[in-house]
Amino acid sequence: MAATRIADLDQSAPQIPVNKITTRDLREVLGEGLSDFSEKRGDLLLVAMIYPIVGIVAAIVSLGGSLLPLFFPIAAGIGLLGPLVAIGFYELARRREAGLDSDWSHFLDVRKRPSWDSIGIVSGLLLTIFAAWIITAAVLYATLIGEAPASVGDFLRRLFLTSEGWALIVLGNLAGAFYAVLVLKLSVVSLPMLVDRDVGARMAVDTSVRAVRANMGVMIRWGLIVATLLVLGSIPAFIGLAFVLPWLGYATWHLYTRLVDRSALP
């Protein structure tokens, strides 16, 4: 692992030292995450099916009547909630690292962690961001296109054959990218840290933001990798996420262990 501690001048909150990583670290954590998943594949597939079911339900709801324009925002926005589902995989990874039993029955043991209240705070923050994304998408559609489409065909025609539709695509993707980067900065370190140690939500989020800022180029690559895998996992019908989500969950845990100087954690 190529890691070098960096200094940070902001003294507004207690700070945990963060490390500088490279693209090589990304390749290694993906390999480590895949190895972890392979060892527990049967058990984890059972648990991970929860996430595709949520996606399918969201798709069905969105295809009904006036909610059709929100189909893509809801389907894409589910990725913003991925870190919440991955909390269980962080717990399994923590237990395995500590030499404890880590079968699927321990997936929800994260509720017993001392920092569970702080995990709830960060989770609520991510849910708020998800809601803000959906509201943003709805406002963009109402402003640029207006009335609800009469059918799927009518919706696709407005989206791809009108200037308003292409404006919606461009602005929608820009807004989605903004929310995705925000979630990455807030959660990539904070949630695994809160599963790992008894620290406050403020310290965890602060460390996550500083770790991303210190590794901006590498973390942008990580965000693109995550986005690509989530898109591929969503085809068809979100079923592929049963493989992608636990893989990314484990990989994110290993990424956290490289980004943070854990010896400085309480």
Side-chain angles (χ1 to χ4, degrees):
M1 176 187 70
T4 305
R5 185 179 298 186
I6 65 170
D8 193 292
L9 299 178
D10 182 8
Q11 301 297 325
S12 61
Q15 293 186 348
I16 302 300
V18 297
N19 299 321
K20 189 78 174 177
I21 64 172
T22 68
T23 302
R24 178 181 176 181
D25 290 290
L26 300 186
R27 293 194 295 268
E28 291 178 354
V29 300
L30 285 170
E32 292 167 357
L34 186 59
S35 176
D36 289 345
F37 172 76
S38 297
E39 291 187 20
K40 292 291 184 179
R41 183 169 183 173
D43 292 337
L44 293 183
L45 279 175
L46 274 176
V47 180
M49 284 303 295
I50 296 172
Y51 191 75
I53 289 172
V54 170
I56 292 171
V57 171
I60 293 173
V61 171
S62 298
L63 286 173
S66 61
L67 289 181
L68 177 59
L70 294 182
F71 166 69
F72 175 74
I74 291 178
I78 288 175
L80 300 178
L81 301 180
L84 302 187
V85 183
I87 290 174
F89 299 114
Y90 302 154
E91 171 63 10
L92 293 181
R94 182 194 69 82
R95 294 181 64 87
R96 292 186 65 191
E97 183 182 89
L100 303 172
D101 186 23
S102 58
D103 62 42
W104 68 269
S105 64
H106 297 287
F107 187 81
L108 297 178
D109 280 2
V110 66
R111 297 173 299 172
K112 304 174 184 177
R113 301 300 294 155
S115 56
W116 176 243
D117 289 346
S118 295
I119 291 174
I121 292 173
V122 177
S123 298
L125 183 59
L126 297 188
L127 287 170
T128 301
I129 293 173
F130 174 77
W133 156 241
I134 298 302
I135 292 172
T136 300
V139 170
L140 283 174
Y141 182 87
T143 302
L144 294 171
I145 296 181
E147 63 182 28
S151 64
V152 174
D154 181 40
F155 172 67
L156 294 177
R157 181 189 63 79
R158 295 185 186 186
L159 189 63
F160 293 108
L161 299 180
T162 66
S163 58
E164 293 82 3
W166 280 104
L168 178 63
I169 291 173
V170 172
L171 293 177
N173 277 282
L174 289 175
F178 166 78
Y179 286 114
V181 170
L182 183 59
V183 167
L184 176 68
K185 291 176 67 174
L186 296 179
S187 68
V188 67
V189 163
S190 64
L191 287 176
M193 178 185 286
L194 289 170
V195 172
D196 187 27
R197 305 292 174 89
D198 186 12
V199 298
R202 179 183 178 185
M203 177 184 289
V205 170
D206 171 75
T207 306
S208 188
V209 171
R210 289 188 296 108
V212 172
R213 287 177 178 172
N215 298 275
M216 187 61 70
V218 178
M219 294 310 296
I220 288 175
R221 295 188 193 98
W222 175 251
L224 292 174
I225 291 171
V226 170
T228 301
L229 290 176
L230 288 175
V231 170
L232 294 175
S234 300
I235 305 171
F238 301 93
I239 299 302
L241 292 178
F243 169 79
V244 170
L245 185 66
W247 178 19
L248 287 177
Y250 277 133
T252 301
W253 170 266
H254 292 295
L255 183 63
Y256 150 70
T257 64
R258 294 173 183 240
L259 284 170
V260 174
D261 180 2
R262 297 166 74 196
S263 66
L265 289 169

